[in-house]
Amino acid sequence: MQKALLLSIALLASPAAADTLIDNANGIQVGPDGQLQRFTGLLIGDDGKVVRVLKGERLKMPEGTRVVDAAGQTLLPGLIDAHGHVMGLGLALTQLDLTGTKSLAELQQRLKDYAAANPDLPWIVGRGWNQELWANKRFPTAGDLDAVVKDRPVWLERVDGHASVANSAAMKAAGVTAATKAPPGGRIENGLFVDAATVLVASKVPEPTPGLLDQALLKAHAMLLENGLTAVADMGTSPQDWAAMRRMYESGRLKLRNMSYAGGSDSLAAIAPDGPTAWLYGDRLHLGGIKLYADGALGSRGAWLKQPYADAPTRGLPLLTPAELSKQAGIAAGKGFQIAVHAIGDAANDMVLDAYEQLGSAQGDKRWRVEHAQIVDPADLKRFAADKVIASMQPVHQTSDRTMAEARLGPKRLDGAYAWQTLEKSGAKLALGSDFPVEHPNPFHGLAAGISRQGLDDQPPGGWRPWERLTLAQALAGFTRDAAWAGFAEQKFGSLEPGKWADFILIDRDVSAATPHDLARTKVLQTWVAGEKIWEATPETAR
Ligand SMILES: [Zn+2]
C-alpha cells in the first residue's frame, strides 16, 4: 500500500523542466553522514543540475526527455583531485616523458630518440626520471646527458619536481660555471640542481608560447576526464596559466572544473590582487587561494626534518623562514584567500601549524590546508583537528615512496608518516589527490592505495603500516565530497544532490565489491559534467 502511494506521488512529481533521466544505474556516493549511499538514477534539469536522486522509483517522463539507460553500470559522482598541477601535466604531455625509466641507459635512449624526432627544438625539456627506480640509485649528471646530446641545452626534471639535471650546454646557456654558488635552500652537484638552485637554469628555459600553453591545457583536461576526474585543485597557478585557462574556458573548449591556488604571492597579486575571483564559466574556474612551499621533497632530501636524515648528514631545508611564511600567509588571508602550504618533513609541518595557529586558523570557517602532510611528528598529528586544518594527502605517494621513506627516516620515525587513519580518527578532514604529474592522475589508483596501503603490484602483503588504511567510504569522500569542501565548493559539486551540478561517471565495476587490486584497474566508461556527456570510452581506450 505504502509502496503504491509512493509510486503515485513519484508519477505526479515528474518535473517539466527536467530534460535528462539517467536510469537503471548502480549509484554509489558518500552521504553527509560519511556513509556509502545507494541510488538508482538521476533526474537532471536542462540547467545541468541534479533535480532529484532516484532510489528505485520509476518516473513517467514527458515527451522529449532524454532517457539514458545506464544498463546497471556503477555510477559515481565525478571524482575530484584535491592536489594536482594542470599545466605541469599538460606541458609534460608535450615534453620528453621520462617517467618509469628503469635505468640511466633507458633515460639516455629516450633522450636520444626525442632529440632526433625534434631537431628544431632549441631546448630539450623533459621530466619524470626517478633514480630510486634504477639499480644503483645514482643521480644523473651533466656528463650522462652530454654523452647523448651536446649541441643544444637539455634540462630534465626529476619526478617530484624538486631537482633537475642539466647538460653542459644548458649550464653554459644559464651562465653556470664551476664557480657558481647555489642560492640558499639549493644545491648543485655535477649538473644536478636541487630545490632553490633549479631556478638558475629553469629561468633560462624559453617560456612556452601561449599557443603551447593552450595545447597543454587541452591535453591535460582530456587525460583527466578519461580518468574519471571532473574537478581538480590546481596547486600553483601562474599568471600565464591563468590567462590560458581564461582563453580556453572562454572559448568553451574546457569543461572540467578547476579550483586554482595561485603559485606564490607574486602570482596571487598578478591574478587576483583584491580577493578571490568569482566562480566563472558555470562554476568551472575559480581562484580562491594561494599555494606556498615550506620545504622540498623527501626524494631529493629537500624535505625539512626535525632530526637528520637516516641516510645522509642533513636535515633538509626550509624554503621560507617562519616570519616570511606568516607574513605571506597573513597578507593573503587578510584579503580572504584560503591558504595552502606544501609541507613534507616533520619540521616543515610543525612550522606551518605554528604559523596557522598564530594567524587564527581555527577561528571562523577558513579551511586552511597543509599539502602532503607526509612526515608529521606524532605529537603534531592532533593539531590538524585542533587547528581546523585540512590534511591534503596523496595515497599514491605512500605506495610509491614507502621504501625510500624507510631509508630516509629509519624505522623509528615512521609513526607519523602518511598517517591517514590517525588523522581521520583525530577529527581532521582529509582531501585526497594524486599530485599529478608527479604521479599518474588515475584516481582509482589513489582509492585502491587508500584502502589497502598497497601499490599496483599488490605489495607489501597486507599493506604498509596497515592500521593507517582508510575505509572505502573515507577514501571516496576524500576524492569527492571532502575534496569539494576543501575548495569551498561543496554547495556546487562533490556529491549528487538536488541543486548541485550533475557531474558523474559511469564505470565498469562495482567499487564497493572490488578488491583493492580490481579497484585500481577500474575503467571509466563515460564522464559527464553539468549534465553533459563529455567523454566516452571507445574500443581503443577500453583496452
Ligand atoms: Zn604538488
Side-chain angles (χ1 to χ4, degrees), residues 356-439:
Y356 282 0
E357 282 161 18
Q358 263 175 36
L359 294 167
S361 64
Q363 289 147 33
D365 187 18
K366 296 196 169 73
R367 307 188 199 182
W368 290 351
R369 313 165 43 135
V370 173
E371 301 306 316
H372 311 306
Q374 244 171 52
I375 313 300
V376 181
D377 184 333
D380 290 334
L381 284 170
K382 57 183 184 300
R383 295 168 70 193
F384 282 80
D387 298 340
K388 298 211 292 190
V389 169
I390 296 165
S392 167
M393 303 181 85
Q394 298 74 34
V396 282
H397 279 332
Q398 183 272 299
T399 52
S400 299
D401 295 352
R402 68 182 165 86
T403 50
M404 190 250 304
E406 285 172 350
R408 296 281 187 273
L409 299 168
K412 291 196 190 115
R413 272 188 294 179
L414 298 172
D415 283 347
Y418 315 93
W420 311 327
Q421 191 58 262
T422 302
L423 283 162
E424 281 270 358
K425 285 202 183 115
S426 74
K429 192 83 104 177
L430 261 54
L432 302 179
S434 69
D435 202 11
F436 65 76
V438 176
E439 304 278 357

Side-chain angles (χ1 to χ4, degrees), residues 83-85 160 162 235 291 293 342 371-372 394 397 435-436 438:
H83 180 125
H85 304 275
D160 65 3
H162 287 274
M235 278 294 154
K291 160 88 181 296
Y293 282 88
H342 165 118
E371 301 306 316
H372 311 306
Q394 298 74 34
H397 279 332
D435 202 11
F436 65 76
V438 176

Side-chain angles (χ1 to χ4, degrees), residues 236-237 261-269 290-292 328:
T237 309
Y261 294 74
S265 298
D266 292 347
S267 291
L268 188 70
I290 184 172
K291 160 88 181 296
L292 299 169
Q328 295 194 30

